[in-house]
Amino acid sequence: VLSSSAGECIVEGSDVLIYIDRRRRWVVRVHRGGSTGSDYGVIEHEHVIGKEFGSAIRLKLGRRAFLLPPLLIDYLERGFKRRTQVIYPKDIGLIVVLLGIGPGSRVLEAGIGSGFATAVIANIVRPNGKVYAYEVRPEFAEVAMENLRRVGLDKYVEVKIKDVKEVEEQNLDAALLDMPNPWEALDAVHRALKPGAPVVFFLPTVNQVIKMVEALRNHGGFVDVRCFETMMREYQVVPEAVRPESFMVGHTGYILFARKVLYERESC
Ligand SMILES: C[S@@+](CC[C@H](N)C(=O)[O-])C[C@H]1O[C@@H](n2cnc3c(N)ncnc32)[C@H](O)[C@@H]1O
């Protein structure tokens, strides 16, 4: 679903990134009779179906709309439903590197929220890995699974409508907790992870970071505690005026990393 092969044609029901320029781009599922509006003219899906991915159609006012196969980032930015705060690409990129995951990894996640982080992780752990996603609000889980189904990644995710404190899996390779009170779930995360495995807590406020760092120290079963903040500045790439964009995202959250160790009494 997340790639196209050479010469692949757009059919009824295909997802297409209709791209005019940086601001005018939409991920749409094309169907006969459907249309997408723009200030350069309406794009009738009728004219899109049958075209090759990568080709363009000419709009009424002369501009071209390119028909591209959507990447996962296009869904994150323009395609997925959003019902909660979500983890942004700039943060999830670092998070997945810190978690050290790859194809086959088994990952704990809480909560699933709108499924944005889940989609990126599922895309990395497939085809043999799995995300075990705990979520207390069924209505959020439903939206997240709808988003995951749209990109064909739902089969790599097992969603559980449960508090993560009740985690059932063991020997997991990594964990990501993006929820308001993760310090309450520290015992559960420790129980679920393999010895040495990493966990990332995504925390919107400094207050939560302080509370979490204290909880990790009091717990005693985690080491290598590190905290990061990412800032991403996009550039305007007009050839005669390459410069940073005027506005950027000021704050999302802090990335707090730690690794599970065995308690003294558990060592062999
Ligand atoms: C900010 S959202 C997660 C967003 C998600 N990372 C994304 O990128 O779409 C936080 C979620 O954690 C869930 N949550 C809160 N406490 C929880 C708990 N104890 N166990 C599982 N999920 C929990 C909330 O219902 C909410 O959906």
Side-chain angles (χ1 to χ4, degrees), residues 72 93 100 242 252:
L72 187 50
V242 176
T252 51

Side-chain angles (χ1 to χ4, degrees), residues 85 87 111-117 135 137 140 163-164 178-179:
Q85 286 292 336
I87 300 186
I112 198 169
S114 305
F116 280 51
E135 173 57 62
R137 303 267 302 263
F140 293 156
D163 192 307
V164 69
D178 176 14
M179 54 186 262

Side-chain angles (χ1 to χ4, degrees), residues 196-211:
V199 52
V200 163
F201 305 95
F202 188 73
L203 302 161
T205 68
V206 171
N207 314 60
Q208 287 165 302
V209 174
I210 294 169
K211 214 163 165 181

Side-chain angles (χ1 to χ4, degrees), residues 89-209:
K90 75 177 178 76
D91 294 312
I92 195 67
L94 176 59
I95 290 170
V96 297
V97 174
L98 289 169
L99 292 181
I101 54 177
S105 296
R106 295 168 65 239
V107 182
L108 171 66
E109 193 199 8
I112 198 169
S114 305
F116 280 51
T118 325
V120 175
I121 296 172
N123 198 32
I124 290 172
V125 303
R126 72 188 173 124
N128 305 320
K130 193 132 240 174
V131 185
Y132 300 94
Y134 284 75
E135 173 57 62
V136 287
R137 303 267 302 263
E139 68 276 25
F140 293 156
E142 219 163 277
V143 169
M145 289 314 279
E146 193 186 317
N147 284 337
L148 291 161
R149 270 194 299 277
R150 183 148 187 216
V151 290
L153 290 170
D154 54 303
K155 46 189 168 293
Y156 312 111
V157 179
E158 198 172 320
V159 66
K160 303 194 172 187
I161 308 300
K162 270 189 180 171
D163 192 307
V164 69
K165 292 197 274 300
E166 295 166 42
V167 61
E168 289 147 356
E169 293 73 24
Q170 289 186 342
N171 265 319
L172 299 183
D173 297 299
L176 168 62
L177 268 68
D178 176 14
M179 54 186 262
N181 303 319
W183 39 87
E184 291 174 2
L186 215 40
D187 280 337
V189 171
H190 195 269
R191 208 168 53 237
L193 286 176
K194 268 181 190 166
V199 52
V200 163
F201 305 95
F202 188 73
L203 302 161
T205 68
V206 171
N207 314 60
Q208 287 165 302
V209 174

